[in-house]
Amino acid sequence: MNGKRNGAVSDDHRDLEAFAREVDALIEKYKSKIGHEDVDFIERCFDYCDKSEIVGRLLIHFSLDPFTWLLGSTLLAYHMGSRGALMHMVHHGAYDNIPNVPSRFVSEKTKYNSAIARPLWKVFHVRHHAYSNQPEKDPDWGYGLLRWSGETKWYPFHLFQVPGMVLTTIGPFGGIMGWYAVFQSGFMEFFVPKGLISAGRFYDKHDWETFKKSFAWMMEGLGPYLAKNFLIYPALGGIFWPKVLLGNTLAHFMAGTVAWLHTVSAHIGQPVFEKKPGSRAEWYVQQIEGTANLKVESEIMRIFTAGNHQQIEHHVYSKFPVSRLWEMAPELEALCKKYGVRYTSESWAQRTKKVFKTLLKYSFPVS
């Protein structure tokens, strides 16, 4: 099994409840700190993000040498990855309750969008937070077709999941797997047999009307993204359209690769939970032990990930603004150490190694 457990701190029920009370108190402590300085911070993040897009696209369009062109693609990749991460926090409602917050940071009013439209995002992501690392309930379980636990039925195509992961993540088609949720919830669920997809189902009905609604949601976010990056801006490049198209494609692949590795490393290799938590205390344990943080020291990378490298804190309370996540992390880690709860925080290299080691192990039927 893959570190399977049912989610109890110890056999002492008092320890479990005491842990939950201290986590509740920690959450309330940092909720009371949320204010306009959090809005100022995310405004700066979006400012960096938007400026990197402008400079990046200009360099791609007007570059006269490969170095300048590559720098433009890198800046555009920063914009693509950072914007998606920032929108993740906005969609969660991290800034909704701050008085007089600009509407662009209110989850139900924002005009900002990314490759994933909010209606589709709400379908799969909210369920992921409710059922993290629970086989056949968590929509992110297996990320569509991957097998990372003995709880998932083995099929011959799993023999190729490691080279497939390399090809679709860090190979020439890097970033493609990062859109798994878009295609799974908007397309795959309706046409791929249920047994082949190990993740929890998104919809109760799979009729034509549900598919049309789901497909429309998928294209609401994906359509403008594809048109903007692979049609409109290349067309503006005139006779240099191949250079612009290639630069935009490279930026998409770079951003998708980093985002995908960041996403899968948060859960693959962590404990699997067979049972639904019986109390809020057990829910905390499942969220914490089923999730891993990435150690990020650079301020630039903290802005790029928009706090998403602090996945443990994000899963404990998903409506914390970006900066509160890493601010509370040392205290939550200390609580986990006190009560014997596994708190995983590792480098990108360590987490990536664990991801591929886990996928290799479960590529075979006997594991």
Side-chain angles (χ1 to χ4, degrees), residues 92-263:
H92 263 293
Y95 305 90
D96 286 0
N97 296 322
I98 299 176
N100 302 316
V101 64
S103 61
R104 63 184 181 275
F105 299 135
V106 178
S107 60
E108 298 295 339
K109 298 180 181 180
T110 182
K111 300 295 183 181
Y112 282 132
N113 213 333
S114 58
I116 304 177
R118 177 168 171 77
L120 187 61
W121 182 90
K122 288 176 69 175
V123 169
F124 70 85
H125 196 68
V126 172
R127 291 192 184 184
H128 162 63
H129 275 267
Y131 300 107
S132 295
N133 274 28
Q134 293 184 38
E136 299 185 0
K137 292 182 180 179
D138 181 358
D140 279 6
W141 180 259
Y143 296 105
L145 299 174
L146 298 177
R147 182 177 187 256
W148 77 59
S149 168
E151 279 72 28
T152 299
K153 184 178 179 180
W154 182 85
Y155 290 95
F157 65 78
H158 287 127
L159 290 170
F160 307 99
Q161 67 179 8
V162 171
M165 182 77 165
V166 173
L167 183 66
T168 57
T169 304
I170 58 179
F173 303 103
I176 293 176
M177 282 294 284
W179 284 0
Y180 86 93
V182 179
F183 292 110
Q184 182 178 330
S185 55
F187 186 81
M188 286 173 58
E189 179 163 329
F190 295 90
F191 298 100
V192 178
K194 181 178 180 180
L196 295 182
I197 300 179
S198 57
R201 307 295 274 183
F202 296 96
Y203 305 104
D204 295 326
K205 294 182 178 180
H206 294 89
D207 54 20
W208 177 243
E209 291 301 318
T210 306
F211 169 72
K212 287 195 297 182
K213 179 177 68 173
S214 180
F215 187 79
W217 284 346
M218 182 177 78
M219 294 311 299
E220 180 183 331
L222 195 57
Y225 178 87
L226 293 175
K228 175 182 177 180
N229 289 291
F230 304 114
L231 289 177
I232 297 174
Y233 276 104
L236 292 175
I239 61 173
F240 299 108
W241 70 265
K243 178 184 70 168
V244 178
L245 177 62
L246 185 59
N248 289 359
T249 303
L250 178 61
H252 163 72
F253 285 166
M254 287 192 289
T257 295
V258 174
W260 178 239
L261 284 176
H262 166 262
T263 299

Side-chain angles (χ1 to χ4, degrees), residues 83-100:
R83 190 180 188 85
L86 289 167
M87 282 308 307
H88 170 251
M89 305 308 295
V90 171
H91 284 327
H92 263 293
Y95 305 90
D96 286 0
N97 296 322
I98 299 176
N100 302 316

Side-chain angles (χ1 to χ4, degrees), residues 278-290:
S279 65
R280 183 160 182 80
E282 289 187 0
W283 183 84
Y284 279 144
V285 174
Q286 287 194 8
Q287 295 296 320
I288 293 169
E289 293 199 341

